[in-house]
């Protein structure tokens, strides 16, 4: 096992040297710095999903216990993927190394390590591609930027492909749209052919597969977690909510990342959903089987991702719902939006989603039949279907973090802003180059949200935190709102480290705070059970 | 290292043509055979590359979205950066190919005291890139005069626009100067920006030097050596009509120019220069973001092993019943 290293102090971490080393990158082997990588996975997780080469191994040791023919496996794997993905094939060939992507990656900005420049991270694999799959590389070798696939190269891949959060910021700025996420995904697929995963990804994958969610919440635990929230909601509002689980014949199936059901601040977001749906009298159900929207399989291979997202449509079919509503999650939505229908459609056993409250037909979900809760809620507010008291969020000075996947994989930018502006009185945007499609990653996505790689996460999150710091200093922002479960897990430690005093909230926590429910008692606390300051004084006016 | 190697590689190419034509009198080789071979290599090579790419399917619809999606009717969609229709995609691609839209977005991030990261707009790479590509295209089009008799009408318009500065005679074409400056900038930034130098390979410098050599010989021919244009046209028309002949009295610098161009053409399909063709096929740019509206088919979609609800219930039935969650089998 690697040693669990505490990250250096912020003052030291922010002294970043962007100068590349003297030695050329091919002659600079990856140095495994503690705190910058995750533990290699234990065999039991791989066995749970029939992944190859499960064994006890440690990434910090010399011998990674690879199968003898590992090189053939990798090269064969590359060949297969070249024939299956035009993205991979084209992205291997057309990069001109202009460097436009270099300072777009949060890991490069936070570490200065040149191999974190998307262009160079891609070259790690491209160089091998050239050596074995192009004429010029075979003939000219190093001169053409080609190199042999060696044990060290493989280790370098492992180190750096797990130092990419697949946020796609590089892709936005690339003149050809070369997407590091695609390259990282393929790189990780190749590593997974050899059982080279990390514990923090493989564990959740196994959990999702067997138990339905990455936290491994069993059906009764899941239900009791939600019941705890219901108790809190009753304390706050005086209203008892009674959600249903695995109920057949409900109109809507609701799927959210399991991060919303466990630990704060995720649970406050879930409380927001519960309150909203109750207030609307929505005919919906939770599922304990499809109890995870976040798909950790996506961080290992396309096939595994497909195996996990299967549950969403399968459960909708079993419960005979009309359509599906999805909660706040980043990569869940990238996959719902870009993959779900392709993998498991046509979803013809469902209906085109129609809001039972406003009658709005969600034309943009015509085929996949799954609607984002922000789309759903924005529509409600627009039609005046919610009674909102934004003053209940007056103690919050809010800024909005666009989650990478929903921003650059969907373009869901205005809906959440519209909601926030209706439920909060104090909303401030971060600088232009750091929001919307240009948003900066939390630094812990795509399965990097572990404990042992804290330095990596604090480095990767530095650019995001820096933009938050700007609005903190300028406007006194104290809440960083977002709609991604990984954000809600990753951003609190990031804020504590770089911008103390800023807390993290999901969109629907803010909705829940502002929502005036029929028959509720006068609220004295927010969803966090913290007193609403100045409430009495304002009531008197 | 890569830069020095590439520089000398181009020098050697120049010498090859210089000696080949100037000393060894291989006019036919450099004037006819090599240009033909290069043209064939270029054409077949590009076709080969595009077919090879096109044979790999696009299993998933994964556009990188750069603005608001199509959603509720009252939310304004960004139709160009986040297109949901074919028309939008055509618009997006046109902006990309003609005006380098993504590069136009480029920012530069600097770490300042504080610590503060400052993200500022940075258009130099875009400017140099667009100046380079557009002037290259115009120069290429201007050269059609050598391959068509009579010259098409638009050439006169193009030339009068390009040469509106009217300095001396022959007329000074701006594109030549712009091309030289832009290529020089692109080369210098590779040398002076440490990160870009770090990632640069010989194959990044080589085309720059090659193009620099082509532009320089072109300018030398036109303004200084005053090559026998009539003879050159005789040669080029001969090539076009498949009736190649070598006219007398063409200066060796023309053959150097022609040889460098031939090398560039032949090198094109096997190098990063194929980005010219590849940009059109890039799935993050050329797909509409209508993933939930229209079903997209993956041609190699195959069934996978899943954990079914039945298996799940079998494992948890007791616990589910105990906590009042409905089950299929009692």
């Amino acid at each position: 096992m690697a040693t669990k290293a505490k990250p250096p102090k912020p003052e030291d971490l922010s002294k970043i040297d962007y100068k590349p080393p003297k030695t050329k990158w091919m002659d600079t082997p990856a140095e495994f710095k503690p705190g910058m990588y995750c533990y290699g996975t234990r065999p039991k997780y791989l066995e749970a999903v029939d992944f190859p080469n499960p064994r006890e191994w440690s990434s910090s040791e010399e011998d990674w216990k690879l199968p003898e023919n590992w090189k053939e496996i990798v090269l064969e794997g590359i060949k297969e993927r070249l024939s299956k993905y035009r993205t991979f094939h084209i992205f291997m060939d057309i990069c001109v190394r202009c460097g436009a992507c270099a300072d777009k990656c949060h890991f490069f900005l936070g570490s200065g390590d040149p191999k974190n420049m998307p262009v160079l991270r891609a070259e790690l694999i491209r160089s091998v591609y050239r050596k074995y799959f192009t004429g010029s590389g075979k003939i000219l070798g190093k001169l053409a930027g080609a190199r042999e696939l060696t044990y060290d190269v493989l280790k370098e891949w492992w180190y750096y492909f797990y130092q990419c959060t697949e946020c796609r910021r590089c892709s936005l700025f690339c003149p050809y749209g070369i997407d590091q996420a695609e390259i990282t995904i393929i790189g990780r697929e190749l590593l997974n052919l050899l059982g080279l995963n990390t514990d923090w990804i493989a564990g959740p994958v196994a959990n999702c597969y067997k138990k339905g969610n990455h936290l491994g919440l069993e059906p009764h635990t899941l239900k009791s977690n939600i019941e705890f929230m219901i108790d809190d909601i009753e304390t706050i509002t005086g209203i008892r909510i009674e959600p249903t689980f695995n109920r057949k014949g409900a109109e809507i199936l609701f799927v959210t990342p399991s991060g919303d059901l466990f630990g704060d601040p995720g649970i406050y977001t879930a409380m927001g959903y519960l309150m909203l749906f109750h207030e609307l009298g929505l005919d919906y159900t939770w599922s304990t089987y499809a109890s995870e929207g976040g798909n950790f399989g996506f961080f290992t291979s396309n096939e595994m991702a497909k195996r996990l997202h299967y549950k969403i449509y399968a459960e909708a079919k079993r419960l005979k719902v009309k359509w599906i509503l999805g909660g706040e999650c980043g990569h869940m939505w990238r996959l719902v939006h870009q993959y779900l229908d392709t993998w498991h459609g046509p979803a013809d056993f469902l209906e085109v989603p129609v809001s039972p409250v406003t009658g709005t037909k969600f034309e943009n979900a015509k085929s996949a039949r799954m609607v984002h809760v922000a789309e759903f809620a924005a529509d409600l507010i627009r039609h005046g279907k919610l009674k909102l008291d934004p003053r209940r969020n007056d103690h919050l000075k809010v800024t909005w973090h666009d989650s990478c996947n929903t921003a650059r994989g969907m373009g869901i930018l205005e809906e959440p802003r519209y909601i926030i502006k209706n439920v909060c009185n104090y909303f401030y945007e971060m600088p232009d180059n750091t929001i919307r499609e240009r948003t900066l990653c939390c630094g812990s996505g795509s399965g990097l949200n572990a404990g042992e790689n804290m330095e990596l996460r604090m480095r990767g999150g530095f650019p995001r935190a820096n933009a938050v710091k700007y609005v903190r200093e300028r406007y006194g922002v104290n809440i960083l709102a977002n709609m991604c479960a990984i954000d809600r897990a990753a951003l609190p430690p990031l804020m504590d480290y770089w911008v103390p005093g800023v807390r993290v909230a999901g969109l629907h926590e803010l909705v829940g705070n502002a929502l005036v429910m029929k028959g509720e008692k006068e609220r004295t606390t927010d969803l966090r059970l913290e007193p609403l300051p100045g409430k009495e004084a304002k009531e008197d006016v | 290292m890569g830069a020095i190697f590439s520089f000398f590689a181009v020098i050697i190419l120049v010498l090859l043509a210089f000696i080949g034509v100037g000393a060894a009198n291989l006019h036919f080789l450099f004037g006819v055979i090599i240009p033909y071979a290069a043209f064939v290599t270029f054409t077949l090579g590009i076709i080969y590359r595009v077919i090879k790419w096109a044979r790999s399917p696009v299993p998933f619809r994964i556009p990188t979205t750069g603005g608001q999606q199509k959603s509720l009717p009252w939310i304004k969609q960004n139709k160009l950066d986040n297109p949901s229709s074919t028309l939008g995609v055509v618009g997006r691609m046109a902006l990309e190919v003609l005006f380098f839209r993504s590069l136009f977005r480029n920012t530069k991030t600097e770490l300042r005291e504080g610590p503060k990261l400052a993200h500022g707009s940075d258009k130099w790479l875009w400017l140099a890139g667009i100046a380079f590509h557009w002037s290259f295209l115009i120069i290429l089009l201007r050269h059609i005069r050598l391959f068509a008799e009579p010259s098409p009408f638009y050439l006169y318009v193009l030339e009068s626009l390009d040469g509106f500065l009217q300095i001396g005679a022959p007329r000074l074409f701006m594109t030549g100067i712009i091309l030289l400056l832009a290529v020089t900038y692109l080369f210098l930034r590779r040398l002076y920006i440490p990160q870009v130098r770090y990632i640069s390979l010989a194959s990044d410098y080589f085309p720059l030097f090659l193009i620099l050599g082509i532009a320089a010989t072109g300018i030398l021919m036109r303004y200084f050596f005053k090559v026998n244009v009539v003879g050159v046209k005789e040669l080029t028309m001969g090539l076009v009509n498949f009736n190649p002949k070598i006219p007398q009295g063409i200066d060796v610098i023309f053959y150097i120019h022609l040889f460098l161009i031939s090398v560039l053409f032949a090198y094109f399909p096997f190098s990063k220069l194929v980005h010219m063709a590849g940009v059109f096929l890039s799935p993050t740019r050329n797909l509409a973001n209508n993933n939930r509206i229209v079903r997209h088919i993956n041609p190699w979609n195959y069934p996978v092993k899943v954990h079914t609800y039945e298996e799940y219930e079998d494992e948890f039935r007791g616990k589910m019943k105990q906590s009042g969650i409905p089950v299929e089998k009692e």
Side-chain angles (χ1 to χ4, degrees), chain A residues 39-113:
Chain A
Y39 300 147
T41 186
R42 280 167 277 183
K44 61 175 178 182
Y45 295 138
L46 299 185
E47 281 154 7
V49 291
D50 310 311
F51 266 28
N53 204 28
R55 73 220 179 274
E56 292 287 348
W57 70 291
S58 165
S59 50
S60 53
E61 275 164 26
E62 272 298 301
D63 181 10
W64 282 12
K65 299 175 186 158
L66 300 179
E68 218 155 82
N69 60 340
W70 68 268
K71 216 164 148 174
E72 284 163 53
I73 295 175
V74 172
L75 293 176
E76 200 46 49
I78 294 179
K79 195 174 155 196
E80 188 193 333
R81 279 152 190 83
L82 286 170
S83 72
K84 280 166 96 174
Y85 295 92
R86 189 178 301 165
T87 42
F88 184 47
H89 204 161
I90 286 218
F91 297 167
M92 286 297 105
D93 283 330
I94 63 171
C95 175
V96 301
R97 287 168 297 278
C98 71
C101 59
D103 61 351
K104 307 305 178 286
C105 176
H106 49 285
F107 282 120
F108 174 68
L109 290 173
S111 73
D113 184 340

Side-chain angles (χ1 to χ4, degrees), chain A residues 18 176 289 303 306 341, chain B residues 195 282 285 295 302 307 323:
Chain A
Y18 291 107
Y176 320 116
Y289 170 63
E303 181 177 299
K306 184 180 169 186
D341 203 11
Chain B
Q195 284 84 26
S282 183
R285 291 286 186 273
R295 188 164 134 75
Y302 56 90
H307 189 238
S323 59

Side-chain angles (χ1 to χ4, degrees), chain B residues 262-281:
Chain B
S262 302
V263 172
L264 184 71
F265 266 64
Y267 176 72
F268 206 100
F270 308 103
S271 65
K272 69 168 193 176
L273 302 179
V274 286
H275 67 265
M276 183 189 83
V279 64
F280 292 95
L281 278 88

Side-chain angles (χ1 to χ4, degrees), chain B residues 114-163:
Chain B
K116 278 196 175 95
L117 280 177
H119 312 264
S121 166
D122 183 30
K123 304 240 184 297
W124 287 108
L125 178 58
W126 171 81
L127 188 68
I130 205 144
F132 164 67
H133 284 86
W134 271 105
S135 45
F136 203 118
L137 178 69
I138 293 170
I139 291 170
L140 216 66
L141 290 177
R142 275 206 275 102
H143 277 68
I144 286 181
R145 136 188 304 284
L146 296 174
F147 299 94
E149 187 58 51
S151 296
F153 168 74
Y154 73 88
L155 270 179
Y156 295 99
V157 182
L158 200 65
E159 287 186 358
S160 61
L161 282 175
D162 195 352

Side-chain angles (χ1 to χ4, degrees), chain B residues 54-330:
Chain B
R55 278 173 61 175
S56 305
V58 183
F60 306 110
R61 192 169 280 257
I62 53 152
T64 306
T65 59
Q68 175 61 37
Q69 67 166 355
K70 176 181 164 64
S71 80
L72 299 159
W74 48 273
I75 292 178
K76 193 168 177 263
Q77 179 197 358
N78 184 333
K79 288 189 176 159
L80 283 171
D81 284 324
N82 194 341
S84 55
S85 66
T86 309
L87 192 67
V89 170
V90 171
R92 183 182 201 184
M93 287 305 290
L95 279 182
E96 201 61 73
V97 173
L98 298 175
F99 303 109
F100 302 0
R101 170 81 181 102
S102 296
L103 207 50
F104 187 73
R105 244 192 281 257
N106 198 22
T107 56
K108 186 178 174 167
T109 302
E110 277 172 20
L111 182 64
R112 298 187 186 151
E113 275 303 304
K116 278 196 175 95
L117 280 177
H119 312 264
S121 166
D122 183 30
K123 304 240 184 297
W124 287 108
L125 178 58
W126 171 81
L127 188 68
I130 205 144
F132 164 67
H133 284 86
W134 271 105
S135 45
F136 203 118
L137 178 69
I138 293 170
I139 291 170
L140 216 66
L141 290 177
R142 275 206 275 102
H143 277 68
I144 286 181
R145 136 188 304 284
L146 296 174
F147 299 94
E149 187 58 51
S151 296
F153 168 74
Y154 73 88
L155 270 179
Y156 295 99
V157 182
L158 200 65
E159 287 186 358
S160 61
L161 282 175
D162 195 352
F164 85 99
L165 281 180
Q166 289 281 8
I167 300 173
R171 204 149 51 166
L172 179 72
F173 286 135
M174 285 179 300
T175 44
I177 309 298
I178 296 172
L179 181 73
L180 268 187
L181 288 176
V183 175
T184 308
Y185 173 82
L186 292 174
F187 167 66
L188 289 178
R189 75 181 280 282
R190 282 210 182 272
L191 276 197
Y192 284 107
I193 303 176
Q195 284 84 26
V196 184
R197 187 172 62 230
Y198 200 64
I199 55 174
S200 292
L201 299 170
S203 55
D204 295 313
Y205 294 107
F206 179 65
L208 286 176
F209 284 124
L210 201 55
I211 291 165
L212 217 53
I214 291 169
T217 47
I219 287 173
L220 282 175
M221 256 192 303
R222 180 174 167 83
Y223 302 104
F224 299 95
F225 289 91
K226 316 259 163 138
V227 179
N228 170 11
V229 183
V230 178
V232 168
K233 182 142 187 178
E234 215 175 306
L235 190 146
T236 51
M237 288 310 295
L239 288 175
V240 176
N241 298 324
F242 297 105
N243 181 22
K245 50 176 172 270
I246 300 294
Q248 292 301 303
I250 303 179
D251 205 286
V252 67
I253 190 151
F254 166 76
Y255 288 97
I256 296 174
H257 185 68
L258 184 62
F259 183 55
L260 294 182
I261 292 168
S262 302
V263 172
L264 184 71
F265 266 64
Y267 176 72
F268 206 100
F270 308 103
S271 65
K272 69 168 193 176
L273 302 179
V274 286
H275 67 265
M276 183 189 83
V279 64
F280 292 95
L281 278 88
S282 183
T284 52
R285 291 286 186 273
N286 68 10
L287 293 174
N289 180 35
N290 58 1
N291 318 282
R292 276 185 292 155
I293 304 172
V294 184
R295 188 164 134 75
H296 191 63
I297 308 289
N298 171 358
W300 50 260
N301 205 17
Y302 56 90
V304 292
K305 191 177 162 197
V306 294
H307 189 238
T308 62
Y309 176 79
E310 289 69 31
E311 290 169 296
Y312 170 84
E313 190 182 299
D314 283 346
E315 191 178 342
F316 295 109
R317 188 170 293 112
K319 288 168 175 171
M320 289 168 83
K321 278 163 79 174
Q322 220 166 23
S323 59
I325 298 170
V327 289
E328 296 269 348
K329 280 189 234 162
E330 281 304 317

